[in-house]
Amino acid sequence: MLNLIIYFNKVLKYVVLYTFISFLFPATAGSYEDFFKAIRNDEVKVVSNLLTRGFDPNTVSLNAEPAILLCLIHDSLKTFELIAKHPKTQLNVRNAHSETALMLVSLRGYTQLAKLLVSRQADINHTGWTPLHYAATGGHVEIIQLLLDESAYIDAESPNGSTPLMMAARYGNAKSVQLLLNEGADFEVKNQLGLTALDFAIQGKRPEAIKLLETAMKLANSDSNRTK
């Protein structure tokens, strides 16, 4: 409830701000409208012209959505790339669900955009859900590998303790599970509900993931017995 109140207060603030700007600076208000209309229609030339004239790429919409994230809502990928490359863009801004641009492109499998954000030093590791969780959920192995190569924490824990391997086991695919296992993901760790990656795979009815995880467990037990 508190988060909802904060969100609506933020929306109200920008509505008041826009009304104030419209009254004092009608030309700026027009640019504001043009900017977000261009984002919705993926009109990259219009956005480019506005940015060249000094329009702030971090401007938020009337519903408090940051411009770079609004591009993804409307699948305006050319405009997203333009804004992501702008030196003043705040790449780690979050939406109402605490998601960043890198998290969202990782979930959708936009590999080139993920590479762009990583090259511009977008945050890879942070508390809570991470880009690696999202890439694993989507089963996007190229992005998973990209994030791991950039030192993404492989056993990062979500707010309830779920790891990327758990998400891959239930929602991703066999390739994403295999990659995470190959890279050393902990298949024995449990989340706050006491569930392991194997439990996630079983709940999701993912036979390939189940087989991979059971094989990993057998190999680990075999190695453990040999060292005794």
Side-chain angles (χ1 to χ4, degrees):
M1 178 62 72
L2 179 60
N3 288 338
L4 190 61
I5 293 173
I6 293 173
Y7 177 70
F8 280 113
N9 283 339
K10 189 176 181 181
V11 172
L12 180 61
K13 180 181 72 173
Y14 285 108
V15 170
V16 172
L17 178 61
Y18 176 70
T19 303
F20 179 73
I21 290 174
S22 299
F23 179 74
L24 292 182
F25 308 104
T28 302
S31 297
Y32 181 95
E33 294 170 348
D34 291 342
F35 181 69
F36 286 103
K37 179 181 178 181
I39 285 178
R40 290 193 298 272
N41 297 324
D42 204 16
E43 296 174 336
V44 67
K45 289 184 179 180
V46 175
V47 174
S48 179
N49 288 336
L50 287 168
L51 294 178
T52 300
R53 286 159 46 193
F55 197 87
D56 186 357
N58 301 302
T59 303
V60 299
S61 67
L62 287 178
N63 62 355
E65 196 72 44
I68 192 169
L69 299 180
L70 194 65
C71 290
L72 295 175
I73 290 175
H74 295 287
D75 213 27
S76 299
L77 302 187
K78 293 179 182 178
T79 305
F80 176 92
E81 183 176 356
L82 174 70
I83 293 176
K85 288 180 177 179
H86 196 282
K88 293 184 178 180
T89 298
Q90 297 172 7
L91 298 177
N92 298 313
V93 66
R94 294 172 179 256
N95 63 17
H97 303 290
S98 198
E99 296 167 319
T100 65
L102 183 54
M103 292 168 71
L104 294 175
V105 300
S106 296
L107 178 64
R108 298 185 186 185
Y110 296 153
T111 304
Q112 294 307 314
L113 296 182
K115 289 180 178 179
L116 169 61
L117 292 171
V118 168
S119 72
R120 296 223 45 236
Q121 307 302 310
D123 285 347
I124 293 174
N125 293 309
H126 46 72
T127 57
W129 296 105
T130 67
L132 188 58
H133 282 99
Y134 276 47
T137 299
H140 304 301
V141 293
E142 191 171 353
I143 297 179
I144 292 173
Q145 189 66 66
L146 168 70
L147 296 171
L148 292 174
D149 289 344
E150 294 293 330
S151 301
Y153 180 42
I154 197 167
D155 293 320
E157 295 185 357
S158 73
N160 73 350
S162 296
T163 66
L165 180 60
M166 294 175 187
M167 304 308 292
R170 179 160 185 168
Y171 304 106
N173 51 43
K175 289 183 178 180
S176 59
V177 172
Q178 186 66 73
L179 173 57
L180 289 167
L181 288 172
N182 290 346
E183 293 289 339
D186 188 347
F187 51 82
E188 295 181 330
V189 67
K190 296 180 180 181
N191 68 6
Q192 293 176 7
L193 297 176
L195 301 175
T196 65
L198 179 58
D199 295 323
F200 269 67
I202 292 172
Q203 288 184 352
K205 298 179 180 179
R206 298 299 183 100
E208 290 182 285
I210 292 171
K211 183 177 180 180
L212 288 170
L213 289 162
E214 287 180 339
T215 299
M217 293 173 66
K218 289 177 181 177
L219 288 173
N221 290 334
S222 177
D223 291 342
S224 177
N225 290 333
R226 280 200 297 268
T227 58
K228 289 182 179 179

